[in-house]
Amino acid sequence: MNVIVTGASGLLGRAVVAEFKRNSWKVLGLARTRVRDDLVQIELADINAVSRIVREFKPHAIVHCAAERSPDKIQENPSRYEKLNVAVPRELAKLADEVKAVFVFISTDYVFSGENPPYREDDMVDPLNAYGVSKVKAEQAVIMNNSDSCILRIPVLYGGEESIEESAVSVLINSIKMNVQVQVSNLEIRFPSHTKDVAGIIYELVQRKLQDKSLKSNIYQWCGSEPFTKYEMACIIAETFGQDHDHLVPVNVASPGTPRPMNCQMSCERLENLGIRRNTRFVDGIEDFRKFFE
């Protein structure tokens, strides 16, 4: 079986590549930066080049992980990222439909405002920021151009970071390591999910789609089962690795800059009804962070 994974050098992409390889699939990983090993460097906006690769490789599935995921960058200049975040998934959805490959598009819990959780898969979307808007547009474009596609909404990810700055969870380590008082938000609630869990869910969803042609739902959701604020996550990380956190000051104010949802807890009902669920406890998942304290 063949699968193409875009964004294969990224946090989630690496985990997805590893999961499919572990299950003996032939994987073609596409990436624009940090290209190494057997990854293929490509600019996804060059749809002709992408089309050639797809037609030559003949994938049974395409998992589209690549995107600009920084809410601050997109809020500052939405049009700059329109092609990557909206046009590219639209064209990939078309290609997947043409070659009869299962298409999985990675979306976000930021399609919701966070005012009325928990959110079911068919609840109305109401994003607060340009990043969420771009994902809503992409979801609509994907479904319009590939009615059998799968959209997987996920929350903040962690696990397998190569640098402290690679995820919004591991970056909290910078505050833990500071020797002065630092304020950390204790207001917004997040449901961190481990990349290995999400990669496993993607693999199982692809398998189910290949086996059951009557499976017609487009939108699926997954999030970790433990709610934390940034302050609570930072304290757990510090305590796990024997670090002092008395200098961390909880503040009940929203994170500065781009508006972010307060609580985007998502229902995972559709995946759970398929028997698909994976939940790594946060305290176990952050074991990956040990290297950052050595």
Side-chain angles (χ1 to χ4, degrees):
M1 302 294 282
N2 297 345
V3 61
I4 290 176
V5 180
T6 71
S9 64
L11 187 67
L12 178 59
R14 296 196 302 269
V16 172
V17 167
E19 179 69 17
F20 276 87
K21 284 186 174 180
R22 188 177 67 81
N23 286 282
S24 301
W25 280 53
K26 184 177 180 181
V27 181
L28 177 59
L30 306 182
R32 187 173 64 86
T33 60
R34 293 184 290 181
V35 178
R36 62 195 180 199
D37 301 328
D38 55 352
L39 299 184
V40 173
Q41 186 170 31
I42 192 169
E43 177 57 65
L44 291 175
D46 185 350
I47 198 62
N48 290 328
V50 175
S51 179
R52 285 194 295 272
I53 287 175
V54 170
R55 296 178 191 287
E56 289 173 6
F57 190 67
K58 297 180 174 60
H60 299 89
I62 299 174
V63 182
H64 182 42
C65 299
E68 176 52 62
R69 292 190 173 85
S70 168
D72 293 331
K73 287 183 180 179
I74 299 175
Q75 193 75 10
E76 185 176 333
N77 191 352
S79 61
R80 179 179 179 183
Y81 301 102
E82 184 86 3
K83 181 174 287 186
L84 176 60
N85 277 20
V86 181
V88 167
R90 180 189 67 224
E91 296 305 316
L92 283 173
K94 288 181 185 178
L95 278 172
D97 187 52
E98 289 174 15
V99 300
K100 306 304 179 188
V102 174
F103 185 63
V104 180
F105 170 63
I106 305 302
S107 190
T108 175
D109 56 351
Y110 274 30
V111 298
F112 299 115
S113 67
E115 295 177 1
N116 297 292
Y119 291 96
R120 295 169 61 89
E121 292 87 348
D122 55 359
D123 282 346
M124 185 174 295
V125 294
D126 53 346
L128 287 181
N129 55 44
Y131 171 59
V133 169
S134 75
K135 286 297 190 177
V136 168
K137 288 181 178 179
E139 287 186 3
Q140 295 169 342
V142 165
I143 293 173
M144 186 178 299
N145 288 279
N146 186 336
S147 61
D148 200 35
S149 56
C150 293
I151 290 166
L152 179 61
R153 294 173 179 156
I154 56 175
V156 62
L157 295 178
Y158 74 101
E161 290 88 346
E162 295 181 343
S163 68
I164 288 176
E165 289 75 20
E166 196 170 17
S167 82
V169 177
S170 59
V171 76
L172 295 170
I173 294 171
N174 286 330
S175 295
I176 295 170
K177 288 186 170 185
M178 293 181 113
N179 295 320
V180 296
Q181 279 196 343
V182 57
Q183 294 184 340
V184 183
S185 174
N186 196 36
L187 186 65
E188 298 149 332
I189 298 172
R190 298 291 177 255
F191 292 80
S193 295
H194 201 284
T195 53
K196 288 183 180 178
D197 289 344
V198 176
I201 286 166
I202 291 169
Y203 174 77
E204 290 186 54
L205 184 56
V206 167
Q207 288 285 73
R208 186 61 62 89
K209 287 287 288 185
L210 288 170
Q211 295 164 4
D212 186 356
K213 300 302 181 183
S214 66
L215 196 64
K216 293 301 180 184
S217 295
N218 292 113
I219 297 176
Y220 299 87
Q221 298 179 159
W222 189 258
C223 67
S225 59
E226 301 166 289
F228 299 114
T229 64
K230 286 184 178 180
Y231 173 75
E232 290 169 338
M233 285 190 281
C235 288
I236 293 171
I237 294 169
E239 291 166 4
T240 299
F241 299 105
Q243 304 293 309
D244 177 63
H245 59 80
D246 291 341
H247 62 293
L248 301 181
V249 181
V251 290
N252 292 320
V253 296
S255 299
T258 303
R260 286 167 166 79
M262 186 66 64
N263 180 351
C264 282
Q265 181 181 11
M266 295 184 295
S267 164
C268 309
E269 184 176 356
R270 282 184 183 164
L271 285 173
E272 290 175 337
N273 286 344
L274 293 174
I276 300 175
R277 62 175 72 201
R278 298 197 183 193
N279 248 323
T280 297
R281 289 195 315 154
F282 187 69
V283 71
D284 296 326
I286 58 174
E287 183 59 33
D288 291 344
F289 295 170
R290 185 170 298 279
K291 61 180 176 290
F292 298 129
F293 292 99
E294 293 174 347

